[in-house]
Amino acid sequence: MGTLTGKTALVTGGSRGIGRAIAERLGRDGARVAVHYGTNEEAAGETVAAIESAGGSAFAIGVELGTPGDAERLWAEFDRQADGVDILVNNAGIAAAHPFEEIEEKEYDRLFAVNVKAPFFLTRLGADRLRDGGRVVNISSGLARAATMPHLLAYSMTKGALDVLTRDLSKLLGPRGITVNSVAPGIIDTDINASWLRANDEAWQGAAAISALGRVGTPADVADVVAFLASDDGRWVTGHWLDATGGSLT
């Protein structure tokens, strides 16, 4: 019996990177996991297969976020395969393609649509499906608290907004025993970061040096933190911004 046996989890952006690691960890802990993806159905299928091969249960949901009615469509797909949810992980997000000096209004709006509006309405519409004693975990960023990469200003702003959602929502859902927390990764070795992180040894070593622990983070490092908050061990932690940057902000 895993710590999450009998629970159902929804992980947005669960097909790759940090989201996949979270989905797989929650699956190992016994939860039935809804693996959401935007466009990469193949990657979502691989994640579901990995969870099932490890003895867990999972299913995929394909809905592109940042489009009108995205939250309604996602929950409609979810409802076809599950009855209620215990753990909602708002992980899906996009990064800024252009720095502050170059970003256009269209890209700015897209960032906020995916990174802020989507989790807001996913949580609002999901509140009635979320069982008492449930968990909401929002994946933030160390950039919400430190100007380590000021050229990514618009992206950092979205994560700051997500943290406000965490803070205030913890008060609204607290009477139902539902905890709401933010987990803030630092530099993580994912395919999204690979183009610059693995460009050369200097880039890798420079990223590792930012952490107090002297290494680049892995998706599993973040997933294990989320698993703690999703478990009964995290029952007394809510409204909290949890630094999962490996000491990059110290």
Side-chain angles (χ1 to χ4, degrees), residues 1-6 23-31 223 227-228 230-231:
M1 296 286 287
T3 57
L4 299 178
T5 297
E24 291 188 8
R25 173 59 198 269
L26 297 182
R28 288 197 302 274
D29 286 351
F228 159 71
S231 74

Side-chain angles (χ1 to χ4, degrees), residues 11 27 29 35 42 44-45 69 72 111 138 162 204 222 230 241:
V11 181
D29 286 351
V35 178
E42 181 179 359
E72 291 91 339
L111 280 169
N138 297 318
L162 198 61
W204 182 271
V222 181
W241 188 87

Side-chain angles (χ1 to χ4, degrees), residues 45-92:
E46 291 172 356
T47 303
V48 169
I51 293 171
E52 292 178 339
S53 67
S57 175
F59 59 94
I61 297 175
V63 174
E64 186 174 358
L65 300 181
T67 59
D70 52 4
E72 291 91 339
R73 290 195 302 276
L74 195 153
W75 282 118
E77 290 293 326
F78 178 91
D79 291 342
R80 292 188 181 95
Q81 302 187 66
D83 180 18
V85 65
D86 301 281
I87 302 158
L88 170 60
V89 182
N90 287 309
N91 166 77

Side-chain angles (χ1 to χ4, degrees), residues 107-126:
E107 182 182 350
Y108 178 95
D109 288 344
R110 172 74 175 160
L111 280 169
F112 274 82
V114 176
N115 295 3
V116 182
K117 184 178 179 181
F120 179 94
F121 283 99
L122 279 171
T123 308
R124 188 180 77 77
L125 297 179

